[in-house]
Amino acid sequence: MPKASVIVPVYKVEEYLEKCVQSILAQTERDFELILVDDGSPDRCGALCDSLAQTDSRIRVIHQENQGLGGARNTGIREARGDWLLLVDSDDWIEPKILEKAMEAGLREEADLVMFAFRTVDEQGRELGVFREDMPKERGITLQEHKEALLTAPCAWNKLYRRSFFQGTGLAYPPRVWYEDLRTSPKLMAKAGRMVFLDEVGYNYLQRQGSIMKSANLERNQEILDAFDDLLPWFRKEGLFEAYRRELEYLAVFHVYLTAGVRVALADRKSPLLRELAAYVEERFPGWRQNPYLPKLGGKRRLLVSLLQKKWYWAVSLLFKLKG
């Protein structure tokens, strides 16, 4: 059996897929399988997956009817044979040593989860930013000791998972929804025994115009509320809500009030969804203004929260115009 399974959901990414696959095949750790899940892509992606599989015996292709990003990931996880799981989105690419370094750290620290830094890039290949978490590095930690780990980026793709752990939780990514990572990653962290954060930049996240998170589909921003209506009851059911109330509160402020609120304000200042997002946070976390993690937002984001509170949506738009 391979040491690791790298899972790539594939849907309408003809121009990006080969670069993604080549970055995986170039890993310094050679003992892995690469599972390409063709999620009913209507273009030539299915044929391209089959063609790529002819070039390397480590590649397996699964063709399925469309189930969305979460559903495609679930298929790959279910079919995986490696001891470790790495999830890579098909328009992104990874650095050559990241699988080796993440596996080494996971084995050394007997961890269930290993998280690494990432950079964002645009379609011209320009680096937009590098994201490193402010957490202890290179040593095993628990969420009980470091509750602030719950505030880190919830993306599925900057993490290496022990397969027995992931499958043992019974957790899965919800199909055909936005925010599938936010619905899942905090639960995995709450279930994990030990976690390791690496300082290594291992992932290149492409911010392309047509991506889900840049979509101008205004109504779908309401799905952030569905995500929290999934997340918060799960923590209550597991008896963990009070232990992580402040962390969950911060996540609601960041993702519901700030991130979704800004996205909607920039698209339509008169949208009733703006009031709905604010009311959601107020009703579930009325004491959010005293949250001890709010300084983590930084000055610009705190200013945006203040503008949203005052309903100065025109000022939010102006701020982004001035920023270019």
Side-chain angles (χ1 to χ4, degrees):
M1 293 296 174
K3 290 181 183 176
S5 298
V6 184
I7 297 161
V8 180
V10 178
Y11 187 78
K12 295 173 76 170
V13 285
E14 278 185 72
E15 61 185 296
Y16 308 104
L17 181 59
E18 192 158 359
K19 180 173 184 176
C20 173
V21 167
Q22 293 306 324
S23 76
I24 296 166
L25 297 179
Q27 290 300 296
T28 53
E29 171 56 64
R30 307 294 296 169
D31 189 3
F32 64 87
E33 64 174 349
L34 169 53
I35 303 175
L36 300 177
V37 183
D38 167 29
D39 192 38
S41 190
D43 55 10
R44 292 185 58 257
C45 276
L48 183 55
C49 287
D50 291 334
S51 176
L52 289 166
Q54 298 299 313
T55 68
D56 196 300
S57 61
R58 293 173 294 177
I59 301 178
R60 280 202 286 151
V61 180
I62 299 172
H63 299 282
Q64 67 178 29
E65 292 185 8
N66 181 259
Q67 297 178 29
L69 178 58
R73 283 178 182 159
N74 294 339
T75 296
I77 292 167
R78 186 171 58 250
E79 296 294 326
R81 299 180 295 216
D83 294 330
W84 297 91
L85 304 174
L86 183 65
L87 308 178
V88 180
D89 285 357
S90 49
D91 50 357
D92 302 332
W93 65 96
I94 57 176
E95 294 298 316
K97 295 182 179 179
I98 193 57
L99 184 57
E100 177 185 357
K101 291 192 173 185
M103 284 173 54
E104 187 278 327
L107 289 167
R108 184 188 71 237
E109 301 298 327
E110 299 181 339
D112 292 322
L113 278 173
V114 182
M115 285 148 280
F116 40 87
F118 63 93
R119 69 171 58 86
T120 55
V121 296
D122 65 16
E123 298 214 44
Q124 286 70 50
R126 292 176 297 216
E127 182 179 290
L128 302 175
V130 174
F131 296 85
R132 289 181 167 90
E133 301 292 358
D134 183 19
M135 296 295 299
K137 302 296 194 302
E138 300 287 350
R139 64 181 177 87
I141 64 171
T142 67
L143 189 61
Q144 292 80 9
E145 298 167 339
H146 292 274
K147 292 183 178 182
E148 70 275 16
L150 208 58
L151 312 183
T152 59
C155 36
W157 37 255
N158 73 329
K159 299 171 178 63
L160 182 74
Y161 311 82
R162 192 181 292 272
R163 179 169 65 95
S164 58
F165 156 70
F166 198 125
Q167 294 180 336
T169 65
L171 294 170
Y173 291 97
R176 298 189 184 89
V177 297
W178 275 12
Y179 307 107
E180 72 286 329
D181 292 358
L182 183 59
R183 296 171 186 242
T184 310
S185 292
K187 299 174 187 176
L188 288 167
M189 297 182 83
K191 288 285 189 181
R194 289 162 68 81
M195 305 177 288
V196 184
F197 284 84
L198 304 182
D199 207 35
E200 184 85 8
V201 177
Y203 197 93
N204 297 280
Y205 173 67
L206 177 64
Q207 290 195 339
R208 58 188 175 105
Q209 198 59 41
S211 67
I212 290 175
M213 285 297 102
K214 295 195 106 171
S215 171
N217 190 333
L218 184 64
E219 292 74 22
R220 292 208 69 180
N221 284 283
Q222 190 162 17
E223 290 189 36
I224 189 64
L225 305 184
D226 299 333
F228 274 88
D229 279 344
D230 175 327
L231 192 64
L232 301 181
W234 184 90
F235 271 81
R236 290 188 189 278
K237 178 173 67 72
E238 295 292 322
L240 298 171
F241 184 85
E242 289 305 324
Y244 298 106
R245 173 186 284 273
R246 285 306 206 179
E247 290 73 27
L248 293 167
E249 180 178 73
Y250 176 87
L251 290 177
V253 172
F254 184 89
H255 291 285
V256 177
Y257 208 141
L258 176 61
T259 308
V262 166
R263 193 181 293 125
V264 174
L266 293 176
D268 180 6
R269 294 182 216 164
K270 297 181 179 179
S271 171
L273 184 52
L274 286 164
R275 294 179 185 276
E276 190 176 348
L277 294 170
Y280 187 94
V281 176
E282 292 286 355
E283 288 168 10
R284 282 151 187 83
F285 299 105
W288 69 265
R289 290 169 185 79
Q290 286 73 51
N291 188 282
Y293 296 111
L294 287 183
K296 283 181 172 287
L297 289 174
K300 291 179 182 176
R301 284 172 173 159
R302 289 203 302 275
L303 172 59
L304 284 168
V305 169
S306 176
L307 295 176
L308 289 168
Q309 280 185 262
K310 295 173 181 175
K311 301 181 178 60
W312 288 3
Y313 307 128
W314 60 270
V316 172
S317 299
L318 180 62
L319 196 62
F320 274 80
K321 281 180 184 173
L322 292 174
K323 225 174 130 187

